């Protein structure tokens, strides 16, 4: 069982809350103002860990919290429960928006949030700062995952990194020739692969268009694909509308994406390395690359609820899930680069970290990790950028 990152349309209440939380740079409210301008609630950070409360309630992506029920060989929950006395209860979420909604109920202690959800949770006060000194394994997390815009605000850390991956260009080598090294192959309105191009079905995919425009239309002045003013945003939307004429299918279910490449109904488009691995195992002649323009990507963070009823068990879980052995198991099962640098020596596939570039910071320097778009531009230009609500509305219109 692995995750489906489908992003559902944001519920009206969630959109309004995000806009209210992230759309102002006023410094008159309680708490601080983040570097990107939105108000950050003043939520205390835990100072010490006491005895476990007997259970911990988690919201997680499929494949992140395995207890042996999916496969007896996949179990990093039972050991945790025995060692801590904390019974693990997990709600598997199918999207970032679902995660945000679930966390706002106050019924869950923690969440494995992606960067397109983290700032929403921070801005709304749904999660608390994390005292990393209480998490011994945090010291071994790759520096490239610490203190990032999606998990750190005003110098406060809001979670522990779980893993990361890039959104890659994948193609069938028996059809797409020569081998592409640019995203142009998916944006060309006159593509010879019209009807067999695929794109990721999510509002956050607007950033992929912006990233391409950063390199092909520098006059737009795009410095960050998640920070788009009216003109830049419209250029990205226009490019996406043009792309729609060649897209055969937008994908959100990774299994369907694999089958589409296997059958040949899709021959080129955005994918994850795990999709390529699966397709190749099933005999599909596919290859992947990180194009010369770079790419977008994702990095997940375990965050603790500001209303956690079992905070001690949650802190124990955060330390457990990024421990070398467990982080290696999760990363290998899901298909991503682990967060813990010691995990690379513990994967059953000794090439795993090479395949997913876990130790290659130069590789990841070309990846723009998913970050929630906010009104106050992430590149420091002030309150002139389109927020996530606008991205969601535009994506709905693009899809029709």
């Amino acid at each position: 069982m692995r995750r489906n990152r489908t992003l559902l349309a944001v519920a009206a209440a969630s959109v309004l809350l995000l806009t209210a939380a992230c759309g102002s740079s006023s410094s008159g409210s309680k708490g601080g103002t983040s570097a990107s301008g939105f108000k950050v609630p003043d939520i205390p950070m835990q100072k010490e860990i006491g005895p476990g409360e007997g259970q911990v309630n988690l919201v997680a992506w499929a494949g992140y919290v395995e207890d042996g029920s999916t496969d007896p060989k996949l179990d990093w929950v039972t050991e945790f429960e025995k060692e801590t006395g904390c019974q693990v209860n997990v709600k598997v979420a199918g999207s970032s928006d679902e995660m945000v909604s679930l966390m706002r109920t106050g019924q869950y202690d923690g969440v494995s949030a992606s960067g397109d959800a983290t700032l929403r949770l921070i801005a709304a006060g749904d999660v608390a700062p994390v005292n990393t000194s209480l998490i011994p394994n945090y010291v071994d997390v790759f520096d490239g995952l610490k203190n990032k815009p999606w998990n750190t605000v005003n110098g406060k850390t809001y979670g522990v990194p779980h893993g990361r991956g890039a959104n890659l260009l994948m193609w069938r080598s028996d059809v797409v020739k020569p081998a592409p090294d640019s995203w142009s192959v998916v944006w060309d309105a006159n593509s010879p692969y019209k009807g067999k191009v695929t794109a990721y079905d999510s509002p956050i995919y607007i950033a992929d268009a912006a990233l391409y425009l950063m390199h092909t239309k520098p006059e737009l002045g795009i410095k960050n694909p998640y920070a788009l003013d009216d003109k830049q945003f419209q250029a990205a939307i226009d490019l996406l509308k043009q792309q729609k004429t060649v897209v055969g299918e937008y994908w959100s279910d990774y299994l369907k994406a694999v089958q589409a490449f296997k059958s040949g109904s899709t021959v080129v488009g955005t994918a994850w390395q795990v999709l390529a691995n699966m397709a190749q195992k099933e005999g599909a002649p596919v290859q992947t690359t990180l194009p010369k323009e770079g790419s977008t990507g994702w990095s997940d963070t375990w965050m603790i609820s500001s209303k956690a009823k079992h905070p001690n068990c949650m802190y124990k879980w955060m330390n457990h899930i990024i421990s070398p052995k467990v982080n290696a198991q999760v990363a290998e099962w899901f298909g991503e680069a682990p967060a813990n640098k010691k995990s690379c020596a513990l994967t059953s596939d000794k090439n795993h970290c090479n395949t997913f570039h876990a130790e290659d910071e130069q590789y990841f320097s070309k990846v723009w990790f998913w970050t929630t778009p906010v009104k106050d531009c992430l590149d420091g230009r002030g309150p002139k950028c389109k927020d996530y609500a606008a991205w969601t509305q535009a994506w709905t219109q693009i899809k029709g």
Side-chain angles (χ1 to χ4, degrees):
M1 179 175 61
R2 300 187 184 183
R3 95 172 105 171
N4 178 351
R5 287 180 178 269
T6 311
L7 290 175
L8 306 176
V10 179
S14 297
V15 171
L16 291 174
L17 181 55
L18 172 64
T19 303
C22 299
S24 172
S25 58
S26 170
S27 58
S29 63
K30 185 177 180 181
T33 302
S34 78
S36 53
F38 64 82
K39 292 178 289 187
V40 182
D42 186 12
I43 298 173
M45 182 173 64
Q46 192 161 330
K47 301 300 182 182
E48 60 182 15
I49 299 178
E53 300 89 354
Q55 64 177 319
V56 62
N57 299 320
L58 306 173
V59 176
W61 295 113
Y64 273 15
V65 184
E66 293 291 333
D67 62 1
S69 57
T70 300
D71 184 328
K73 297 179 181 178
L74 302 171
D75 185 357
W76 43 88
V77 168
T78 301
E79 179 182 0
F80 170 78
E81 292 177 332
K82 290 180 179 179
E83 291 180 352
T84 65
C86 300
Q87 177 69 37
V88 175
N89 305 305
V90 61
K91 169 66 175 179
V92 174
S95 72
S96 288
D97 293 330
E98 184 182 0
M99 286 186 167
V100 171
S101 296
L102 289 169
M103 287 300 290
R104 287 178 179 163
T105 68
Q107 299 177 19
Y108 299 91
D109 300 301
V111 59
S112 62
S114 295
D116 54 336
T118 52
L119 292 187
R120 286 188 273 170
L121 293 168
I122 294 169
D126 296 314
V127 293
V130 168
N131 188 343
T132 57
S133 67
L134 301 180
I135 302 175
N137 286 310
Y138 184 79
V139 69
D140 294 318
V141 170
F142 285 105
D143 290 339
L145 288 171
K146 296 178 179 177
N147 304 316
K148 296 302 177 182
W150 60 86
N151 61 28
T152 304
V153 176
N154 292 344
K156 292 183 179 180
T157 299
Y158 281 83
V160 296
H162 175 102
R164 56 182 167 175
N167 296 318
L168 302 173
L169 176 62
M170 186 160 87
W171 70 95
R172 280 190 62 117
S173 57
D174 60 336
V175 178
V176 180
K177 297 178 180 181
D181 65 353
S182 168
W183 286 112
S184 62
V185 70
V186 304
W187 297 111
D188 183 3
N190 299 311
S191 173
Y193 312 112
K194 183 175 182 178
K196 294 189 176 183
V197 175
T198 191
Y200 186 49
D201 189 0
S202 162
I204 210 69
Y205 184 67
I206 294 172
D208 291 65
L211 175 65
Y212 184 66
L213 292 172
M214 284 173 64
H215 295 270
T216 57
K217 291 191 175 182
E219 64 271 18
L220 288 170
I222 300 174
K223 304 299 181 184
N224 182 321
Y226 304 100
L228 305 176
D229 61 28
D230 289 345
K231 182 179 180 180
Q232 296 165 341
F233 188 73
Q234 188 58 53
I237 299 307
D238 289 343
L239 180 59
L240 286 159
K241 288 180 178 178
Q242 174 182 296
Q243 185 195 43
K244 186 181 179 183
T245 64
V246 300
V247 168
E249 182 178 4
Y250 293 93
W251 71 271
S252 57
D253 185 323
Y254 74 96
L255 291 176
K256 289 183 179 179
V258 169
Q259 290 306 310
F261 272 99
K262 183 179 178 181
S263 69
S265 61
T266 292
V267 300
V268 65
T270 304
W272 304 326
Q273 185 61 49
V274 65
L275 271 71
N277 294 349
M278 294 176 67
Q280 289 168 351
K281 288 180 180 178
E282 294 187 21
V286 299
Q287 295 184 26
T288 62
T289 190
L290 182 72
K292 59 186 180 183
E293 299 91 356
S295 77
T296 58
W298 41 269
S299 173
D300 293 341
T301 302
W302 281 99
M303 311 179 87
I304 184 170
S305 171
S306 57
K307 308 176 188 68
K309 296 179 177 63
H310 314 100
N312 294 329
C313 279
M314 186 60 203
Y315 262 83
K316 292 174 187 291
W317 172 260
M318 287 190 290
N319 187 57
H320 175 74
I321 199 65
I322 63 167
S323 60
K325 179 182 177 182
V326 173
N327 201 227
Q329 290 176 298
V330 180
E332 194 164 16
W333 165 235
F334 177 70
E336 63 189 344
N340 192 315
K341 64 184 69 173
K342 292 183 177 179
S343 297
C344 288
L346 300 176
T347 56
S348 59
D349 175 4
K350 298 309 176 185
N351 290 317
H352 179 85
C353 281
N354 288 332
T355 299
F356 291 91
H357 303 274
E359 301 168 298
D360 189 349
E361 295 302 337
Q362 183 177 0
Y363 176 90
F364 281 114
S365 71
K366 303 173 185 177
V367 178
W368 290 85
F369 291 101
W370 287 348
T371 306
T372 309
V374 294
K375 182 177 180 180
D376 290 272
C377 302
L378 295 169
D379 56 11
R381 287 180 290 162
K384 60 172 61 178
C385 286
K386 295 292 189 178
D387 63 13
Y388 187 72
W391 283 47
T392 301
Q393 183 178 16
W395 185 249
T396 301
Q397 294 174 347
I398 291 167
K399 292 288 298 300

